[in-house]
Amino acid sequence: MPQLDEFASSEIIRLPAGILELIEQAPLPDLGDSPQDTAVAARIDSLAAPDFGELSARARALCESGLWLLAGDLDRSHTISQSIDTAEGSFWHGIMHRREGDFGNAKYWFRRVGQHSVFDTLAVHSDGVYDDPFQFVDRCSRAVNGKSNAREDCKRAQWLEWQALMLHCLRL
């Protein structure tokens, strides 16, 4: 189960209990297209609009896209993120393509994100592993393809990315 970082925990902890438990029970996602966590997926499937509290429909959809990534269901995350024509939708979309190993397409979606405050958060908290989304895509590509021993550093930065983007989406 991934540990919430201090910068995110104070706000993410305000999520409704069912969603917070889901996040706390999920395994730390791998860099690639790893097997789906069926227990986490079943919990996401059982969520209804009231489970998301006062979130707007757009914020709820963005959070659902992120939750599906956490469960390892890239297809369901993709279906949601590609239907949201915002920087945040493009951000989840870029993460999904990076995870599936389509690194060029991931960069396309990160170009569509443009400048985003989440990138600033990641530059501060990732100890230099995630200074730029395009360099991070390249770093993950090298780690996934065995051309680097930075796999664990990339997984950690990817978890920071997930938390920072989820936190941002909760504020929308």
Side-chain angles (χ1 to χ4, degrees):
M1 123 176 79
Q3 179 98 14
L4 291 173
D5 285 86
E6 188 176 324
F7 79 90
S9 64
S10 62
E11 289 194 51
I12 289 181
I13 203 150
R14 289 190 241 161
L15 279 168
I19 296 174
L20 186 58
E21 288 171 14
L22 183 154
I23 293 168
E24 291 172 342
Q25 292 175 358
L28 184 65
D30 198 3
L31 295 179
D33 187 6
S34 54
Q36 184 184 130
D37 186 301
T38 55
V40 173
R43 302 255 339 244
I44 298 169
D45 266 332
S46 71
L47 295 174
D51 293 318
F52 288 91
E54 300 297 317
L55 291 179
S56 69
R58 180 178 66 143
R60 185 174 60 246
L62 288 163
C63 290
E64 286 177 10
S65 181
L67 290 172
W68 285 116
L69 281 176
L70 195 60
D73 193 329
L74 303 185
D75 288 337
R76 288 180 87 172
S77 177
H78 185 253
T79 298
I80 295 168
S81 65
Q82 75 177 354
S83 71
I84 304 169
D85 192 20
T86 65
E88 294 75 25
S90 294
F91 206 135
W92 287 123
H93 203 154
I95 294 170
M96 188 284 309
H97 282 297
R98 188 185 67 225
R99 292 250 326 259
E100 75 174 352
D102 188 350
F103 301 109
N105 205 3
K107 287 182 176 183
Y108 167 82
W109 287 100
F110 281 115
R111 279 191 296 279
R112 291 192 54 156
V113 172
Q115 294 296 326
H116 202 287
S117 62
V118 168
F119 297 137
D120 298 331
T121 301
L122 294 168
V124 169
H125 293 282
S126 71
D127 297 324
V129 176
Y130 197 132
D131 291 332
D132 167 275
F134 307 103
Q135 290 174 355
F136 187 63
V137 168
D138 291 340
R139 185 171 288 190
C140 290
S141 173
R142 287 189 302 274
V144 166
N145 293 314
K147 297 177 181 172
S148 161
N149 60 357
R151 189 177 195 96
E152 291 306 312
D153 288 342
C154 288
K155 281 175 62 173
R156 173 81 181 112
Q158 179 176 260
W159 174 235
L160 289 168
E161 175 187 54
W162 187 93
Q163 292 175 85
L165 184 53
M166 180 62 73
L167 186 60
H168 178 84
C169 291
L170 290 170
R171 294 175 181 154
L172 295 177

